[in-house]
Amino acid sequence: MEPEDFDSEDKEILSWDINDMKLPQNVKKTDWFQEWPDSYEKHIYSSEDRNAQRHLSSWAMRNTNNHNSRILKKSCLGVVVCSRNCSAEEGRKIYLRPAICDKARQKQQRKRCPNCDGPLKLIPCRGHGGFPVTNFWRHDGRFIFFQSKGEHDHPKPETKLEAEARRAMKKAQTASSSVSLKLKGGPETKSLPGEAQTWGSLPLTWSFQEGVQLPGSYSGHLIDSSGTSCSQN
């Protein structure tokens, strides 16, 4: 292959746009999947890449109306933070993942910071000329084409796995508190005269160690170092 031929093919692969009628199919090497795409990026993934098939992003993205049925369009929701700008362990800030549904996101903002109990607030994404950063996905032939427009102007939220782990921890703590209240002699657990109530005599149907399975990649708390029944993206 002549050098000028190689440059021509390389130029075609680099110069495509997600809205082109035809996208390059002579791709010899696909990209590694990017979990945090930022700025004006373009990537070509294999159609066998499971993350690309799922249109995965650790930014909180939601589907946006798009007139082109061949292209999936997603817009960034931003990040939910503590309005007091508090810090948790090791000086880390609270960066929660916004709920996808509008109603759930409004309800989320009425909740309190899990670290200092201060009010939460949403920082919307305005990194694309005053509008949210937009991601585009398009399956074409043996490839999945990705294009991002805009640069996120807010901190990274917790990942989806971290959000799931946080909810599991909260559920575990609630269940633990319930057990503690029963042990203190609530009406339903009063001992009969002469009977001592112990852990062994309780009908143990829940165990913290065995009852909660956290994601394998969970690294700690709900914070990132650098929401009803709606799903999170």
Side-chain angles (χ1 to χ4, degrees):
M1 180 182 295
E2 295 295 327
E4 56 269 18
D5 294 332
F6 177 82
D7 291 342
S8 177
E9 290 181 1
D10 197 43
K11 183 178 179 181
E12 178 190 0
I13 292 173
L14 293 174
S15 63
W16 60 270
D17 184 85
I18 202 75
N19 294 299
D20 291 345
M21 289 294 294
K22 290 185 63 178
L23 292 173
Q25 295 297 315
N26 57 339
V27 180
K28 296 179 175 61
K29 186 178 181 181
T30 55
D31 296 323
W32 289 100
F33 187 80
Q34 300 298 309
E35 184 181 2
W36 297 98
D38 204 353
S39 192
Y40 293 82
E41 294 185 17
K42 292 190 290 186
H43 299 288
I44 303 176
Y45 301 120
S46 165
S47 60
E48 303 298 320
D49 190 310
R50 296 297 298 274
N51 288 328
Q53 290 173 2
R54 295 164 54 203
H55 312 122
L56 181 71
S57 174
S58 283
W59 299 102
M61 311 292 293
R62 71 169 175 183
N63 292 356
T64 309
N65 291 335
N66 188 18
H67 298 299
N68 190 336
S69 60
R70 297 177 302 169
I71 301 173
L72 175 64
K73 182 180 178 182
K74 287 176 168 272
S75 297
C76 182
L77 292 168
V79 63
V80 174
V81 302
C82 175
S83 60
R84 294 178 180 172
N85 196 32
C86 72
S87 298
E89 297 175 1
E90 301 176 0
R92 296 180 179 180
K93 298 296 182 179
I94 306 298
Y95 297 142
L96 302 182
R97 193 172 189 80
I100 299 302
C101 297
D102 292 340
K103 186 177 292 186
R105 197 162 55 257
Q106 291 170 3
K107 183 177 179 181
Q108 182 183 25
Q109 293 173 72
R110 293 195 293 269
K111 295 183 178 180
R112 315 298 290 182
C113 172
N115 182 59
C116 73
D117 203 37
L120 294 174
K121 69 175 182 179
L122 173 70
I123 299 179
C125 182
R126 294 288 183 263
H128 187 201
F131 295 94
V133 169
T134 307
N135 289 351
F136 300 89
W137 298 87
R138 180 174 165 184
H139 295 233
D140 191 63
R142 298 178 294 113
F143 308 105
I144 297 175
F145 293 82
F146 169 86
Q147 187 168 5
S148 174
K149 296 185 179 181
E151 185 173 356
H152 297 274
D153 58 348
H154 54 85
K156 294 178 179 179
E158 59 187 350
T159 66
K160 194 171 183 179
L161 283 177
E162 287 171 335
E164 291 170 353
R166 173 171 54 82
R167 288 192 288 270
M169 290 285 287
K170 184 176 180 180
K171 187 176 181 180
Q173 290 168 355
T174 301
S176 179
S177 298
S178 177
V179 171
S180 297
L181 287 174
K182 290 180 180 180
L183 287 175
K184 288 179 180 178
E188 65 278 7
T189 60
K190 285 185 177 179
S191 302
L192 294 174
E195 180 184 44
Q197 189 102 28
T198 66
W199 277 104
S201 65
L202 287 173
L204 189 58
T205 58
W206 174 87
S207 166
F208 180 80
Q209 284 84 0
E210 298 174 2
V212 179
Q213 297 295 324
L214 299 182
S217 62
Y218 178 57
S219 59
H221 198 37
L222 63 158
I223 2 188
D224 192 301
S225 56
S226 342
T228 73
S229 61
C230 299
S231 61
Q232 306 269 350
N233 252 351

